[in-house]
Amino acid sequence: MAVNVTRQHIVSFFLVGIPGLENFHCWIGIPVCLLFVLTLLGNSIIITTVKLEPSLHQPMYFFLCMLAMNDMCLASSAALKMLGIFWFDAHWIDFDACLAQMYFIHTLCIMESAILVAMAFDRFVAICIPLHYASILTTSMVTKLGLVGLLRGVLMVLPCPLLIKRLPYYAKYIIHHAYCEHMAVVKLASANTLINRAYGISVALSVITVDLGLIATSYVKILQAVFRLSSQNARSKALGTCAAHVCTMLVSYTPALFSFLTHRIGKKVPPSVHIIVASVYLLLPSAVNPVVYGVKTKQIRDRVIELFFTHKKLPEM
C-alpha cells in the first residue's frame, strides 16, 4: 500500500509562500495588495491617457502602452495567487494550473524585456537619425516589433512546461516559493532534470545577454550622438527623453539578475530573501513604471492632469 501511494503521480503542489516568515504572511500581503492595485490603476491611466490624447499617438507611447498591458498581465499572474496564500491560506495549486502560471509569468517577463529593447531602439532612432524616424518607426513596424517580442516569449518558454510534463512527480510536492517558478518546480521531480536545468539557464542567459547587449549598444550610440550636439539645452532635452526608460531598466533588470544569480550560485542567501526579491522583481517594476513615466515624461504628465484632474487645457510648452 505504501509503495503504491509513493508511486502515485501527484496532482497538485503546495506553495509555502515565504519560508520562515509564515507568521507574517498576513502583513506581507498588504504591500503585495498595494503594489497590485497601483499596477492596475497606474497602467490603466497610462493606457487611457494615450488612447484619448491624439498628440500621444506616437511610437514611443505605443510601446509604453504595450509595457503597461504586459505589466498588468504579469502582476495579475503572480499577485492573485500570492494574496490567496498570504490572506486565505490557499496554498494548494493544481499541477496543470501551476505549469500555466509558470508559463505565463516567464513568457511575460521575456516579453517585458523585448519591449524595453524596442523602447531603446525607439530612442536610438529618435536621437541618432531623427530625420528618418517617421519612415522607420511606422505603425506597421511598431506592431511587428510587438508581435516578434510576443512570439519570442511564447516559443522560448513553451518547452519548459512540456519538458516538466514528461518528468515523474511522486513524493515531493512542497514548493518553497510564493508562485510557481520554473526551477522551484523542476527541483521537485523524481528524476534527472539536467535537460530542464540546461534549457532554463540557456533561455535566461540568452535573453539577458542579447537584450542587455542591444540596449547597451543603443545607449552608447545615443550618448555619442548627444555629446556631439553643440547646444547644452539640446543635450539636456535629448537625455531627458531617455531618463524614464533608464529608470525602468534599472528597476526591471536589477532584481531579475539578483534572482537569477541567487538560484544558481547564491547558496548562502536565505530562501526568504531570494523569494522576496523574486516577488519584488514581478510586482515592483509593474507598479513603478507608470509613476516613472508619469513624472519623467512631460507629455504624459500634462495630459494626465488635463484628462483626470482639470477641465482646462494646459498651455503647450
Side-chain angles (χ1 to χ4, degrees), residues 9-28:
H9 197 290
I10 63 172
V11 295
S12 58
F13 291 112
F14 183 91
L15 286 164
V16 172
I18 302 181
L21 298 178
E22 288 86 353
N23 293 334
F24 300 95
H25 275 178
C26 184
W27 298 104
I28 294 172

Side-chain angles (χ1 to χ4, degrees), residues 119-174:
M119 295 174 80
F121 176 67
D122 170 81
R123 291 300 85 203
F124 164 74
V125 176
I127 293 173
C128 297
I129 43 177
L131 297 179
H132 298 283
Y133 183 81
S135 61
I136 294 175
L137 281 167
T138 61
T139 302
S140 174
M141 176 58 71
V142 171
T143 303
K144 288 177 182 177
L145 288 174
L147 290 175
V148 168
L150 176 61
L151 189 62
R152 184 187 71 155
V154 168
L155 294 180
M156 290 186 78
V157 182
L158 184 59
C160 292
L162 296 179
L163 288 171
I164 288 176
K165 286 285 285 185
R166 65 181 254 287
L167 295 173
Y169 284 83
Y170 296 132
K172 298 178 182 178
Y173 59 88
I174 299 176

Side-chain angles (χ1 to χ4, degrees), residues 32-55:
V32 170
C33 183
L34 288 175
L35 288 174
F36 183 47
V37 171
L38 285 174
T39 296
L40 297 182
L41 180 62
N43 287 292
S44 295
I45 290 175
I46 292 290
I47 293 171
T48 303
T49 301
V50 173
K51 181 180 179 180
L52 295 179
E53 181 52 54
S55 67

Side-chain angles (χ1 to χ4, degrees), residues 43-250:
N43 287 292
S44 295
I45 290 175
I46 292 290
I47 293 171
T48 303
T49 301
V50 173
K51 181 180 179 180
L52 295 179
E53 181 52 54
S55 67
L56 299 181
H57 293 178
Q58 302 173 30
M60 173 182 176
Y61 303 107
F62 292 152
F63 287 130
L64 182 55
C65 286
M66 290 183 194
L67 185 67
M69 284 294 297
N70 192 82
D71 282 341
M72 287 194 291
C73 293
L74 180 57
S76 299
S77 299
L80 292 176
K81 185 58 183 178
M82 287 184 187
L83 292 175
I85 294 170
F86 296 149
W87 283 350
F88 306 106
D89 289 329
H91 293 274
W92 290 98
I93 183 170
D94 290 342
F95 186 91
D96 290 334
C98 183
L99 295 187
Q101 185 193 44
M102 179 197 73
Y103 178 75
F104 282 113
I105 286 176
H106 290 295
T107 298
L108 291 167
C109 286
I110 293 177
M111 178 66 182
E112 176 128 348
S113 185
I115 295 171
L116 293 178
V117 173
M119 295 174 80
F121 176 67
D122 170 81
R123 291 300 85 203
F124 164 74
V125 176
I127 293 173
C128 297
I129 43 177
L131 297 179
H132 298 283
Y133 183 81
S135 61
I136 294 175
L137 281 167
T138 61
T139 302
S140 174
M141 176 58 71
V142 171
T143 303
K144 288 177 182 177
L145 288 174
L147 290 175
V148 168
L150 176 61
L151 189 62
R152 184 187 71 155
V154 168
L155 294 180
M156 290 186 78
V157 182
L158 184 59
C160 292
L162 296 179
L163 288 171
I164 288 176
K165 286 285 285 185
R166 65 181 254 287
L167 295 173
Y169 284 83
Y170 296 132
K172 298 178 182 178
Y173 59 88
I174 299 176
I175 300 177
H176 296 280
H177 215 298
Y179 60 90
C180 291
E181 197 271 340
H182 177 250
M183 286 303 299
V185 176
V186 168
K187 289 177 180 178
L188 301 183
S190 304
N192 188 302
T193 59
L194 179 61
I195 295 176
N196 301 71
R197 293 169 183 266
Y199 186 76
I201 292 174
S202 64
V203 168
L205 285 177
S206 63
V207 170
I208 291 173
T209 54
V210 172
D211 290 4
L212 283 180
L214 291 173
I215 291 172
T217 301
S218 296
Y219 274 93
V220 167
K221 296 293 185 182
I222 288 171
L223 290 175
Q224 290 175 345
V226 166
F227 288 118
R228 282 199 296 265
L229 296 174
S230 57
S231 168
Q232 176 64 37
N233 184 50
R235 287 198 295 268
S236 298
K237 185 176 180 180
L239 291 174
T241 63
C242 301
H245 187 221
V246 172
C247 291
T248 298
M249 288 190 299
L250 290 174

